[in-house]
Amino acid sequence: MSLVSVASAPPDAVSPSSSPSSAMCSCSSVEVLRAYVQELHAILALYEAAEPRLVELRRQHDEQRREATRQQQATLEREARERDRRQRRERRAREAWADVRRARKGVHAVMDLAGAAVVELDHAFAAPTVNASSSSSSSSDDSESAEPGESHTARGRRIDHCLAVCDQRHHQVAIVERESGLVLQRIGQGGNADSQLCNPHALAFDRVTRHLYVADSNKHRVQVYELESGSFVRSIGTAGPPGTLVNFATGVALYRRALPRAVPSTTGAAAAATSPLARASPELHAQHEQHELQEQHRHGHELEQALVFVSDYGNHRVQVFSQDGSFVRSIGSCGTGDGQLFNPHGLACATDGTLFVSDYGNHRVQVFAQDGSFVRSIGSRGTGDGQLFNPHGISIANGLVAVADCGNHRVQVFSQDGSFVRKFGAQGVEEGLFNNPLDVAWCHDSGSGDTHETLLAVCDPLNRRLQLIMWPY
């Protein structure tokens, strides 16, 4: 007989042959068994009552596990997408730099100089000399005040291939030897005086008078210095009637018209216009005329004054001054139409006097004739070939216009008629990459043997360097 059947059996079902003591034992056993059965029933009832809750907990646990799996998968996919984007950026940067190298535009040099503007000087810069009586006393002072890479052994000799660079941190202009990166001389010093500088922003060099023009942006003027001695000459843009003053000078350029050649009247202008050199290479022809102007100036002949173009950033125009600082005219006005400007920056003049203006706020380059009339517009806002984003510095040589495409972290090159030639560079810290480049300058290089190359100097101040890129003719 099972325990359940015994427990549920009536009292009279117990064998009558059992003794009273055994009957009592049987009754107590039955009670115990009956209590056990009741407890089992209670446990089963509790389990049945708790089973839905256990099922819910199991379901919630499974859902949490699936959610954790989904989150982990999403994290892996997000990391994979970021890795792919980073690899694509690096690949584009490598391809851009490989494109430069394929065109023989390798990095010629990298200078540890956070310059904001650069211009090429003559191929024979005469480093200033030091008097023998003061050399011993000044050597100790020089050694204490010299910047890293500054040379004091170059004084008193002529040095080829030099650059002038705006050093905004020290409010000076540094004259740098291009091949070594040594600072040969510093022009100006920080301050508010007539001969001092405050945040120099752009440069131009007059090869005839050998004067250096510096856009002194925070003082709303252009400062003129004699190159070799570093002595102050004059200020431009600080005096004149209302409407002629400059509000934050961000660019400067020069144009000096070539004088007529001293040839017989029967062949004068025609000979100059149809000479073999002029027909073969207008750029070399213009350089030859500049050399003639230098020779005339050196022999004391009076020359026609140069025009000085100044970017009037705050007034959205370009102010034109004569070489002595007198006001000539204004070019452009505030707006987005043809011939209008918005926060102009870099300026450059072609050999025929055509003015190229980096229209920073309108993301383009505006071209004006010498008299200020609008000629054409180059580029538009964007990231594609020939498109610009906040163009900054600009330089012209050999019919090519190089633009520091600051917002796109690259340099773009156009022909003078506005057609796109090529681009190079991308955002990065490696050589050949840029981080908001501010200025560019074409630099002539004689090369070796029969090769003749041109270098393109690029100011990369956020990476604290000046890069020289090789550009073959």
Side-chain angles (χ1 to χ4, degrees), residues 109-289:
V110 178
M111 300 181 187
D112 184 16
L113 187 63
V118 61
V119 66
E120 184 191 26
L121 304 179
D122 277 352
H123 293 291
F125 169 73
T129 59
V130 179
N131 294 331
S133 59
S134 61
S135 60
S136 59
S137 61
S138 63
S139 60
S140 59
D141 296 336
D142 289 342
S143 61
E144 294 177 359
S145 62
E147 289 293 314
E150 189 161 0
S151 171
H152 301 286
T153 62
R155 291 190 171 112
R157 65 184 178 91
R158 301 187 71 83
I159 302 171
D160 292 337
H161 308 305
C162 292
L163 303 172
V165 182
C166 279
D167 185 358
Q168 289 184 330
R169 185 163 66 96
H170 297 95
H171 305 286
Q172 294 177 322
V173 176
I175 309 301
V176 183
E177 186 178 11
R178 197 179 71 192
E179 299 302 321
S180 64
L182 293 176
V183 177
L184 307 175
Q185 181 186 5
R186 290 184 176 271
I187 296 176
Q189 58 181 340
N192 299 322
D194 290 342
S195 62
Q196 294 177 325
L197 297 170
C198 185
N199 192 27
H201 209 89
L203 297 168
F205 179 57
D206 188 347
R207 299 177 185 274
V208 176
T209 62
R210 301 188 64 78
H211 286 170
L212 189 64
Y213 291 72
V214 185
D216 191 11
S217 59
N218 284 13
K219 292 303 171 183
H220 318 289
R221 62 191 179 186
V222 171
Q223 300 284 72
V224 186
Y225 297 91
E226 202 283 325
L227 178 63
E228 269 77 17
S229 66
S231 58
F232 174 73
V233 178
R234 72 179 69 90
S235 293
I236 296 176
T238 57
T244 66
L245 303 183
V246 176
N247 183 8
F248 204 77
T250 54
V252 60
L254 296 175
Y255 174 68
R256 186 188 299 275
R257 188 175 62 184
L259 296 178
R261 293 172 178 270
V263 293
S265 57
T266 56
T267 59
T274 60
S275 65
L277 183 60
R279 292 194 303 269
S281 176
E283 187 72 21
L284 291 178
H285 177 67
Q287 293 176 10
H288 180 66
E289 288 185 334

Side-chain angles (χ1 to χ4, degrees), residues 98-115:
D99 193 27
V100 173
R101 292 186 183 277
R102 280 195 297 270
R104 294 175 59 238
K105 285 195 238 170
V107 173
H108 179 79
V110 178
M111 300 181 187
D112 184 16
L113 187 63

Side-chain angles (χ1 to χ4, degrees), residues 206-209 211 213 224 233-236 253-260 290 293 296-297 301-309 320-329 349 353 370:
D206 188 347
R207 299 177 185 274
V208 176
T209 62
H211 286 170
Y213 291 72
V224 186
V233 178
R234 72 179 69 90
S235 293
I236 296 176
L254 296 175
Y255 174 68
R256 186 188 299 275
R257 188 175 62 184
L259 296 178
Q290 288 293 324
L293 289 174
Q296 292 181 35
H297 178 73
H301 297 165
E302 185 175 353
L303 301 178
E304 181 177 346
Q305 285 200 350
L307 292 178
V308 183
F309 299 87
V320 186
F321 300 89
S322 64
Q323 187 176 345
D324 60 6
S326 58
F327 177 75
V328 177
R329 59 177 170 270
C349 278
Q370 184 181 348

